[in-house]
Amino acid sequence: MSYAYLFKYIIIGDTGVGKSCLLLQFTDKRFQPVHDLTIGVEFGARMITIDNKPIKLQIWDTAGQESFRSITRSYYRGAAGALLVYDITRRETFNHLASWLEDARQHANANMTVMLIGNKCDLSHRRAVSYEEGEQFAKENGLVFMEASAKTAQNVEEAFIKTAGTIYKKIQDGVFDVSNESYGIKVGYAVPNASGGGAGSSSQGGGCCS
Amino acid sequence: MRGEAAADAGAGYPRSPEPHDLSDDSDYAAAAAASASIHAAIRSDMADIGSEETARVDVVYEKERVTIHPTQYGSSRISGKLRLYLQLGALFLSWEPNEGVDSFSTSSVTAEIEKYRNLYTIQALPVSDIRFIRRYNPTFGLEYIIIVLSSGLAFPPFYFYNGGTRELFATMKQHVFIIRSDDDPTLFLVNDFEDPLQKSLSSLELPGVATVANAMSRQNSFSFAGSVNEARHGDDAKHGGPSSIYEYGSKQKHKLNDPGRDLSLQVLEKFSLVTKFARDTTSSLFRENHSSGSHAYGRQKQEHVWDNRISDKYKDQQITQDDTSVLSDSTESDELLLVWGKKRGSPLTVDEWRAFLDPEGRIMDSKALRKKVFYGGVDHVLRKEVWKFLLGYHEYDSTQAEREYLAAMKREEYEAIKSQWKSISATQAKRFTKFRERKGLIDKDVVRTDRAVPFYEGDDNRNVVVLRDILLTYSFYNFDLGYCQGMSDFLAPILHVMEDESESFWCFASLMERLGGNFNRDQNGMHAQLLALSKLVELLDPPLHNYFRQNDCLNYFFCFRWVLIQFKREFSFDQIMLLWEVLWTQYLSEHFHLYLCVAILKRYRQRIIGEGMDFDTLLKFINELSGQINIDQAIQDAEALCTIAGDNGAACIPPGTPPSLPVETDGGLYLQEDDVL
């Protein structure tokens, strides 16, 4: 499928916070509680539309365990966006955010857009991190913040698309040199100003093409 | 002598420094005519094909002073006579060394040279066995050719001191089907379509074959006879009468039509260029003749291109071989075959297993057992027993009674270790962060391990709990290593096979003795293996290595998952049980899995390089190979690569690289940091 731009995303965060489930909810619109734990990295892709332009998101879903950090770091290269995920029911996953962010800052390009996601907000009765704390951390570190649930799909679509919108705006503002692919953006073959297609900021069907 | 006439005819033509395309080379018409002029029938005693009759032999090409350089020193030369001849309608090639010391050899000709003399003699090589020939006409220096057989074997280069390679090709072209590579002008694909039966076949199939061959040569990719299955059939057929000749033809066509069979071309050619190495390779590919009683093959042995005396000679010289038994399966009567990734066998059966045991239950020939498992795996009902040996939990020379005693002791020991964490109360756990975190991680992971396999599927599955208990117990047994993701992937098939908690634990613990390094916090075991993999690709596929280097892919992180959990995610559950038992035999190498990586990468090298994959694309591509890899083919390829690489391959892998046993130090096996989870 042709696209105006391709954005590379990376999903990071502690093991078991629901990275793979967020990806699956976004690409396949389903929640699968039983799936194999991620070893190394898994891939997903989906087309969305922003400003009437088809944009392909290629999403890298990484393994969360500490031991694999040295490998995970090599995946940051050329990512335009990152979803930094914690689990609102497990305090320690929130406590580790700073270390993840440090990794991202160190190994990704400086203009990478980072979205902070407090996942499992459907389990608010077991909440261990307040919304405000998440919001505060995001503010202090210049991140976009959202609580979401891969199970109910709440805010999942929004999280990925809002990140894409931010990246898109950076392109419009000339922050990126899109001819340089190290920014995680590829210019596709679709005519950038083609009319028609979906309404702005809405997503197209979950065509998962690679 | 006619050979001299031919030589003169060949020498009379100006040699172009740049090779031209064969088809429009005007020299060829003349050379062909010259060759035709000597196309007189002569009796020859050089090829005694078929003991029942001495068929008429027509020599169509003969060239003196065709020489090999068996060592790196130019003075060590063996000069000989290269001939092409027709017999019973088929074209054969022979090379016979001259008797005595070559006129241009120095006095330092040693006994060693003598042995090469015999090793390299080609008595009667059917040209149909040749896969391709490389021809080099350097501007300065001698012209030479390298012959590579369908079986994968490469002869050392033949240097033409009197010239005549063009004439050789012109002559061959009259009798066999030759295609020159578009991409690589030194390369000539050879196929014998002149056999009467094959001719009728080829008249039907030739256009298609030619197209495929052309396409392949454009990609510089060859449907190498990657499978010994085909090579062996070919060999059988060659001697088996008309009906099998037909079969050979069809096999060969099949080979050509399967461009996926791209294997080790560079490897073999590279090795053939290093003549001494080629000799070693040649030697190691020989099968020694063990069972002289197989009369059905008696005739074949006589007329086989590889005369018995080669292997006899080879034996006489007592060139020690590390392990030739891969080539000497006494249960099969295919001695002296050139081995190129042996055909996969059938799984070890109950009867076969019993035959390995002495009355007290000792395994009498563990090597033969490992060999059997390496080539065919184990019948599923036997895995429970056999895996305990392969994993090192049981000693091969233990008796049944000893093992039963051990199992009882080990069961108690297991329960003792398990009670260490079982006895931790909720109050204690509150003050034991490391335990809580570890348990939490394992709890999360066991419910994400092989849940699609019936043994582990469904809610409240008891086996998932056992998986958890074993992993948690292991993290106490080996507290320094603890738990790391990927361990559950290893344990799940083991528990599925053992169906016993304690036995599974000890088998898993034995496996972790070798693979613990994969899960070490600093990932040193992984880095060591990925580095070794890089070295192996450099050795076995230099162009691919160069490609990875140019594209900043030398960290081999794209193979991370393959190596970490030994292909667990790349194959089905059933396939992985087979693959692992093959790996655990450590039959050809402790690091066979690395050769497997190389083999798979080589299979896809054309796409990797052709599509110009960068690191990201490559990683995604490799990931998506999951479920796509042909396991038998991959094992066969890896076997061939492992055999060919030999000591040079082993030298790529530093000592202590998993699954080698780690080098124990006072500081413990596993790196510790204060903030370890």
Side-chain angles (χ1 to χ4, degrees):
Chain A
M1 199 184 289
S2 61
Y3 52 81
Y5 296 107
L6 181 148
F7 297 163
K8 172 179 168 180
Y9 277 21
I10 179 166
I11 312 182
I12 52 175
D14 276 10
T15 180
V17 297
K19 298 183 291 298
S20 301
C21 288
L22 283 168
L23 173 62
L24 197 67
Q25 182 59 260
F26 179 64
T27 58
D28 289 22
K29 299 188 188 302
R30 64 194 168 96
F31 178 66
Q32 194 183 344
V34 174
H35 62 91
D36 286 351
L37 65 100
T38 308
I39 299 287
V41 66
E42 302 276 357
F43 294 87
R46 209 186 103 179
M47 296 293 287
I48 61 168
T49 305
I50 291 177
D51 194 19
N52 281 332
K53 294 182 181 64
I55 290 175
K56 180 173 172 176
L57 302 184
Q58 188 193 79
I59 305 150
W60 294 40
D61 169 29
T62 65
Q65 195 173 355
E66 176 75 22
S67 314
F68 300 138
R69 286 278 187 105
S70 64
I71 304 288
T72 312
R73 284 178 191 128
S74 70
Y75 305 146
Y76 286 103
R77 187 169 53 177
L83 267 63
L84 173 55
V85 187
Y86 68 95
D87 175 353
I88 65 155
T89 71
R90 283 162 60 212
R91 184 87 203 167
E92 69 272 19
T93 66
F94 180 77
N95 294 340
H96 294 153
L97 288 178
S99 131
W100 280 112
L101 200 57
E102 190 188 319
D103 250 18
R105 298 273 190 241
Q106 206 173 337
H107 299 279
N109 81 70
N111 289 310
M112 183 171 76
T113 302
V114 181
M115 160 79 74
L116 180 66
I117 308 278
N119 192 29
K120 307 193 186 179
C121 70
D122 57 296
L123 302 175
S124 57
H125 57 288
R126 283 166 48 194
R127 180 184 285 278
V129 184
S130 72
Y131 182 90
E132 289 70 25
E133 285 174 291
E135 197 175 37
Q136 180 66 22
F137 183 89
K139 203 172 163 187
E140 283 168 8
N141 292 281
L143 318 176
V144 191
F145 174 63
M146 231 176 234
E147 281 195 348
S149 166
K151 188 172 183 179
T152 66
Q154 186 188 338
N155 274 345
V156 172
E157 192 84 1
E158 289 78 357
F160 283 89
I161 288 168
K162 198 169 177 185
T163 308
T166 310
I167 297 166
Y168 183 77
K169 185 159 188 310
K170 284 183 183 172
I171 296 171
Q172 302 299 96
D173 295 348
V175 175
F176 292 125
D177 170 13
V178 290
S179 65
N180 182 345
E181 289 187 358
S182 71
Y183 289 113
I185 297 161
K186 278 182 186 165
V187 180
Y189 300 107
V191 182
N193 287 319
S195 58
S201 287
S202 79
S203 66
Q204 290 182 339
C208 181
C209 47
S210 44
Chain B
M1 186 172 178
R2 295 183 191 281
E4 296 304 319
D8 292 340
Y13 292 98
R15 286 206 298 277
S16 158
E18 292 298 318
H20 294 161
D21 190 283
L22 182 71
S23 54
D24 53 29
D25 192 334
S26 58
D27 285 352
Y28 276 96
S35 152
S37 71
I38 61 154
H39 194 292
I42 59 165
R43 296 281 293 187
S44 171
D45 57 351
M46 65 185 176
D48 184 20
I49 300 222
S51 51
E52 68 282 347
E53 61 166 319
T54 305
R56 179 185 157 94
V57 169
D58 291 346
V59 174
V60 293
Y61 174 90
E62 186 171 270
K63 184 63 75 183
E64 299 279 2
R65 299 191 75 196
V66 176
T67 302
I68 60 165
H69 298 172
T71 70
Q72 56 186 311
Y73 308 109
S75 59
S76 308
R77 305 167 191 160
I78 304 167
S79 191
K81 187 190 295 177
L82 187 85
R83 290 197 240 201
L84 289 173
Y85 63 92
L86 287 163
Q87 189 170 35
L88 296 173
L91 189 67
F92 291 85
L93 182 147
S94 71
W95 180 80
E96 286 187 297
N98 297 338
E99 289 301 322
V101 175
D102 296 334
S103 56
F104 50 89
S105 285
T106 66
S107 56
S108 66
V109 173
T110 60
E112 209 175 354
I113 297 278
E114 279 301 314
K115 105 190 157 198
Y116 297 134
R117 192 185 298 281
N118 292 306
L119 184 60
Y120 288 131
T121 299
I122 302 174
Q123 285 222 316
L125 171 68
V127 173
S128 58
D129 281 2
I130 298 176
R131 181 73 188 92
F132 62 86
I133 302 177
R134 283 210 187 269
R135 185 186 73 176
Y136 297 91
N137 280 10
T139 313
F140 304 102
L142 297 164
E143 52 191 275
Y144 63 96
I145 61 168
I146 296 170
I147 299 171
V148 180
L149 303 183
S150 301
S151 57
L153 184 84
F155 287 102
F158 287 106
Y159 294 88
F160 286 64
Y161 277 73
N162 284 348
T165 57
R166 301 168 77 77
E167 179 203 347
L168 172 75
F169 278 88
T171 309
M172 286 180 91
K173 201 191 168 197
Q174 292 174 357
H175 302 281
V176 296
F177 183 66
I178 299 182
I179 297 176
R180 187 171 196 166
S181 166
D182 289 350
D183 255 12
D184 184 347
T186 66
L187 196 64
F188 296 84
L189 272 171
V190 182
N191 280 292
D192 185 4
F193 288 97
E194 289 300 303
D195 180 284
L197 280 165
Q198 287 186 40
K199 201 169 196 171
S200 59
L201 185 74
S202 62
S203 63
L204 293 171
E205 305 286 350
L206 192 55
V209 172
T211 307
V212 171
N214 271 328
M216 287 188 304
S217 45
R218 256 194 300 284
Q219 302 166 357
N220 198 17
S221 154
F222 294 92
S223 62
F224 213 60
S227 143
V228 78
N229 181 18
E230 288 163 4
R232 179 186 296 146
H233 274 284
D235 259 309
D236 291 348
K238 191 171 63 215
H239 305 287
S243 62
S244 10
I245 289 174
Y246 180 87
E247 187 192 332
Y248 186 35
S250 67
K251 287 277 180 189
Q252 191 156 28
K253 181 177 71 65
H254 172 71
K255 268 187 314 211
L256 277 172
N257 277 312
D258 186 358
R261 295 196 166 279
D262 165 17
L263 236 161
S264 278
L265 213 58
Q266 280 77 14
V267 177
L268 289 159
E269 287 185 283
K270 183 182 171 197
F271 286 6
S272 75
L273 287 167
V274 187
T275 312
K276 186 176 180 304
F277 213 87
R279 188 250 350 226
D280 293 339
T281 307
T282 309
S283 311
S284 70
L285 289 173
F286 276 117
R287 177 184 297 275
E288 289 203 345
N289 182 1
H290 286 302
S291 62
S292 51
S294 67
H295 57 274
Y297 279 73
R299 204 182 121 234
Q300 284 187 30
K301 280 182 207 155
Q302 283 290 306
E303 63 191 36
H304 198 282
V305 51
W306 303 105
D307 192 312
N308 281 348
R309 72 193 161 91
I310 296 173
S311 58
D312 289 341
K313 188 83 182 172
Y314 169 68
K315 217 160 30 189
D316 293 342
Q317 274 138 17
Q318 299 185 329
I319 299 170
T320 48
Q321 267 179 290
D322 184 41
D323 179 5
T324 54
S325 51
V326 58
L327 314 168
S328 57
D329 187 344
S330 55
T331 63
E332 291 176 40
S333 308
D334 50 3
E335 295 90 347
L336 284 176
L337 273 188
L338 303 172
V339 173
W340 180 253
K342 201 174 159 184
K343 187 190 171 191
R344 302 296 301 156
S346 55
L348 178 76
T349 64
V350 174
D351 287 343
E352 287 169 318
W353 167 242
R354 288 200 185 116
F356 276 107
L357 301 170
D358 75 3
E360 291 178 307
R362 293 184 195 87
I363 289 164
M364 294 179 290
D365 188 349
S366 66
K367 189 167 183 185
L369 174 70
R370 291 190 296 116
K371 179 183 176 183
K372 170 69 190 170
V373 174
F374 178 82
Y375 282 109
V378 178
D379 189 304
H380 189 71
V381 299
L382 286 171
R383 286 194 166 123
K384 193 181 294 199
E385 258 181 288
V386 178
W387 278 21
K388 292 173 194 166
F389 294 94
L390 296 177
L391 286 167
Y393 170 47
H394 284 333
E395 303 281 346
Y396 287 105
D397 58 2
S398 62
T399 64
Q400 178 66 31
E402 286 167 346
R403 294 195 290 270
E404 280 168 18
Y405 177 72
L406 178 81
M409 298 293 290
K410 286 289 183 184
R411 196 171 303 280
E412 278 178 34
E413 190 181 345
Y414 173 73
E415 291 302 332
I417 305 163
K418 187 177 173 182
S419 68
Q420 289 174 14
W421 63 265
K422 274 280 190 184
S423 65
I424 294 174
S425 66
T427 322
Q428 190 189 354
K430 268 188 188 166
R431 297 163 173 82
F432 196 170
T433 305
K434 210 171 233 178
F435 170 70
R436 282 200 320 275
E437 287 181 346
R438 213 171 255 190
K439 183 169 178 298
L441 196 52
I442 294 170
D443 278 336
K444 275 191 169 303
D445 285 353
V446 291
V447 297
R448 298 190 287 172
T449 304
D450 287 322
R451 296 302 296 285
V453 176
F455 190 75
Y456 294 109
E457 79 184 355
D459 295 337
D460 304 319
N461 186 312
R462 164 78 195 138
N463 297 320
V464 175
V465 178
V466 178
L467 211 53
R468 195 274 311 264
D469 286 0
I470 295 173
L471 288 169
L472 198 48
T473 306
Y474 183 77
S475 86
F476 272 73
Y477 172 71
N478 190 348
F479 203 86
D480 288 353
L481 184 61
Y483 169 77
C484 180
Q485 288 186 335
M487 285 183 175
S488 65
D489 274 277
F490 276 118
L491 178 59
I494 291 175
L495 177 60
H496 170 255
V497 163
M498 296 298 154
E499 299 176 299
D500 178 284
E501 188 171 335
S502 166
E503 300 274 79
S504 300
F505 173 85
W506 291 111
C507 284
F508 175 73
S510 296
L511 183 63
M512 285 304 111
E513 289 300 301
R514 294 187 167 275
L515 291 176
N518 285 16
F519 302 109
N520 211 351
R521 186 187 160 82
D522 66 0
Q523 295 275 293
N524 60 355
M526 286 302 299
H527 289 298
Q529 286 171 89
L530 295 176
L531 180 70
L533 174 57
S534 159
K535 298 277 178 206
L536 282 176
V537 172
E538 188 175 7
L539 173 74
L540 293 165
D541 195 339
L544 189 62
H545 173 80
N546 287 338
Y547 180 82
F548 287 154
R549 185 167 45 77
Q550 285 157 12
N551 289 275
D552 208 8
C553 295
L554 281 186
N555 61 22
Y556 279 80
F557 283 174
F558 51 88
C559 291
F560 178 79
R561 190 172 74 187
W562 289 4
V563 173
L564 183 82
I565 47 176
Q566 303 214 315
F567 298 95
K568 172 76 175 346
R569 301 292 181 90
E570 320 312 318
F571 297 108
S572 72
F573 202 74
D574 285 337
Q575 286 174 323
I576 208 64
M577 290 190 281
L578 169 71
L579 178 62
W580 283 358
E581 62 204 10
V582 167
L583 295 179
W584 295 341
T585 63
Q586 304 181 351
Y587 181 65
L588 286 183
S589 164
E590 272 187 321
H591 301 93
F592 192 73
H593 68 298
L594 296 179
Y595 292 94
L596 208 58
C597 294
V598 182
I600 299 168
L601 290 174
K602 279 181 84 68
R603 281 275 165 197
Y604 293 98
R605 67 195 297 277
Q606 219 62 48
R607 284 196 59 190
I608 292 167
I609 298 173
E611 295 176 19
M613 294 184 189
D614 59 11
F615 177 80
D616 285 13
T617 315
L618 181 62
L619 184 65
K620 190 163 180 292
F621 175 74
I622 297 287
N623 249 42
E624 287 164 1
L625 285 181
S626 174
Q628 310 291 314
I629 303 164
N630 179 327
I631 190 167
D632 287 341
Q633 190 183 60
I635 296 173
Q636 261 177 273
D637 291 358
E639 180 202 347
L641 289 169
C642 190
T643 306
I644 285 166
D647 291 344
N648 293 31
C652 294
I653 304 165
T657 301
S660 294
L661 289 168
V663 184
E664 208 154 341
T665 60
D666 291 343
L669 291 170
Y670 306 102
L671 181 83
Q672 293 301 297
E673 285 177 31
D674 289 342
D675 59 343
V676 169
L677 192 99

